[in-house]
Amino acid sequence: MIIDVHGHYTTAPAALGAWRDLQIAALKDPSKAPKASELKISDDELRESIETNQLKLMKERGSDLTIFSPRASFMAHHIGDFETSSTWAAICNELCFRVAELFPDHFIPAAMLPQSPGVDPATCIPELVKCVEQFGNVGLNLNPDPSGGHWTSPPLSDRHWYPIYEKMVEYDIPAMIHVSTSCNSCFHTTGAHYLNADTTAFMQCLTSDLFKDFPTLKFLIPHGGGAVPYHWGRFRGLAQELKKPLLKDHLLNNIFFDTCVYHQPGIDLLTKVIPVDNILFASEMIGAVRGIDPETGHYYDDTKRYVAATPNLSDEDRYKVYEGNARRVFPRLDAQLKAKGK
C-alpha cells in the first residue's frame, strides 16, 4: 500500500468557511453566533469535494490511503477563546470522520485539537477521546504555537503539555506537530511559519529529556522536518555540546519525518541524511503548493515521483517509507487495516 500520512481537508464545501466567517464575526456580537447545527453539508457535497479533488489525484498518482485531518490553516487557534476553538474543532473533526465513512478504503481521520492560547491543554482531552473512541482517529495534530506566530506557549518539553502526552501514550497515538495560520506579518504561513515550527519543535526536543519521561511518545515532524535534515551536522554538534546522547538514541526512537518536500534534490537529501526507519511517505496534497513545476512538468506535491526516483532507497526501503513505517508509527491505523484483512 501507498499510505500518505499527511492530508488535510482543504477542499471542504464552501458552507464550512461561511459558517466560520459567521463565528468569527460573532466574536464582536455574541448574539449573532451561529449554532453548529445550522451548518448543513450533505453527503453528496462531501463526495463531490473529495472525488473531484483528493481522490482523483490519489488515483492518478498511485496512492491508496490518506490520513486525513482538518485544514491546518483553518485551525487558527489564536481566534476567539477555548469555546470558539472547541466548537470549531468538533465541526471540522466530524467532517473528516464523515469523509472517512464515505470513503473507508481511502481515508482515515486524524484529529484537530481545540487549543487556545493560555488555556490548559488538558481542556483538549475530551475532544481527543471522542475522536479516538467514537470516530476511530489514528493520529492528532498538535499545534506548538496556538498564538499564531507569536510563540507565547512553553516549549514542547514543558510539563504544560504533559496532559496531552499522557493521553497519547495511553492510546498509543502519535502527534503531527503542525502549526496553523500565522497572524504575525513577519512569518508567511506556509513558507516560513510552518518550516520554522518544524525546526523549532525538533530543537525543543533536542535540548530536553522529554522522551525519558515518555519513552513511547511519538512525534511526526512534517514538511521533511523543516531545516533539520539540511542542518543535521549542526544538530548533532549542538547535542554533543549539550552532553546529550547521539541523536539516533536521543530522538530517533520518537521523532519521525514526512516526505512533504517538493523537489527531487530535497528528497534525495532527506533520504540520504535521515535513517529510512524515520521517514514516512506524505504529500500534503491538495495543500500549500498546488502548482506545476515548469522544470519537470509535474505537480510539485507529487512526492511519490521523488521517492520512486531517489537512488538512496532500495525496494525494501521504499516499502518502509510507503507503508511499513506508517503502520509502525500509527498502530491504530495498522490495527484497522488488519481488521480489514490488509
Side-chain angles (χ1 to χ4, degrees), residues 85-338:
S85 288
S86 180
T87 303
W88 180 233
I91 285 173
C92 292
N93 285 330
E94 184 177 5
L95 284 182
C96 289
F97 167 65
R98 287 176 61 193
V99 167
E101 289 283 282
L102 292 170
F103 301 96
D105 293 330
H106 298 290
F107 295 92
I108 195 163
M112 163 189 169
L113 298 181
Q115 296 176 246
S116 188
V119 177
D120 186 345
T123 56
C124 297
I125 290 176
E127 180 67 19
L128 177 58
V129 170
K130 180 190 72 178
C131 285
V132 173
E133 297 188 1
Q134 297 181 32
F135 292 170
N137 281 218
V138 300
L140 63 102
N141 292 341
L142 180 63
N143 185 351
D145 174 37
S147 70
H150 296 290
W151 291 92
T152 57
S153 294
L156 290 169
S157 54
D158 192 270
R159 298 189 68 87
H160 170 82
W161 302 99
Y162 277 27
I164 291 179
Y165 298 162
E166 288 164 358
K167 206 66 184 176
M168 287 172 58
V169 168
E170 177 187 338
Y171 282 141
D172 197 9
I173 192 170
M176 177 175 283
I177 306 300
H178 206 309
V179 289
S180 185
T181 300
S182 170
C183 56
N184 183 337
S185 60
C186 294
F187 304 115
H188 183 276
T189 293
T190 54
H193 187 43
Y194 282 14
L195 306 183
N196 294 345
D198 303 334
T199 310
T200 297
F202 184 83
M203 193 63 196
Q204 288 177 356
C205 294
L206 187 153
T207 56
S208 75
D209 294 311
L210 172 63
F211 300 122
K212 287 185 178 179
D213 285 352
F214 296 97
T216 62
L217 187 68
K218 295 191 288 289
F219 289 159
L220 178 60
I221 299 183
H223 319 115
V228 173
Y230 190 72
H231 287 289
W232 195 245
R234 175 180 290 258
F235 291 112
R236 288 176 55 232
L238 289 170
Q240 185 173 312
E241 289 181 15
L242 292 169
K243 309 300 181 186
K244 300 296 184 183
L246 296 174
L247 289 185
K248 67 181 181 66
D249 301 316
H250 184 42
L251 299 179
L252 292 187
N253 291 318
N254 307 88
I255 290 181
F256 305 86
F257 305 88
D258 76 14
T259 63
C260 292
V261 179
Y262 296 147
H263 66 154
Q264 190 66 53
I267 290 294
D268 291 346
L269 174 73
L270 176 69
T271 53
K272 186 174 183 179
V273 173
I274 301 299
V276 68
D277 288 342
N278 293 81
I279 302 173
L280 282 68
F281 176 72
S283 69
E284 201 184 353
M285 65 91 175
I286 300 168
V289 181
R290 303 187 182 193
I292 293 176
D293 185 344
E295 295 182 2
T296 66
H298 300 292
Y299 285 95
Y300 286 100
D301 63 2
D302 187 358
T303 55
K304 184 170 176 282
R305 289 181 176 275
Y306 313 137
V307 175
T310 186
N312 299 324
L313 298 175
S314 66
D315 288 344
E316 180 182 355
D317 291 338
R318 286 188 178 85
Y319 163 74
K320 290 181 178 181
V321 172
Y322 286 142
E323 178 180 0
N325 292 342
R327 298 181 79 131
R328 177 168 52 88
V329 174
F330 292 83
R332 287 179 172 269
L333 166 67
D334 184 53
Q336 290 191 39
L337 291 174
K338 287 178 177 174

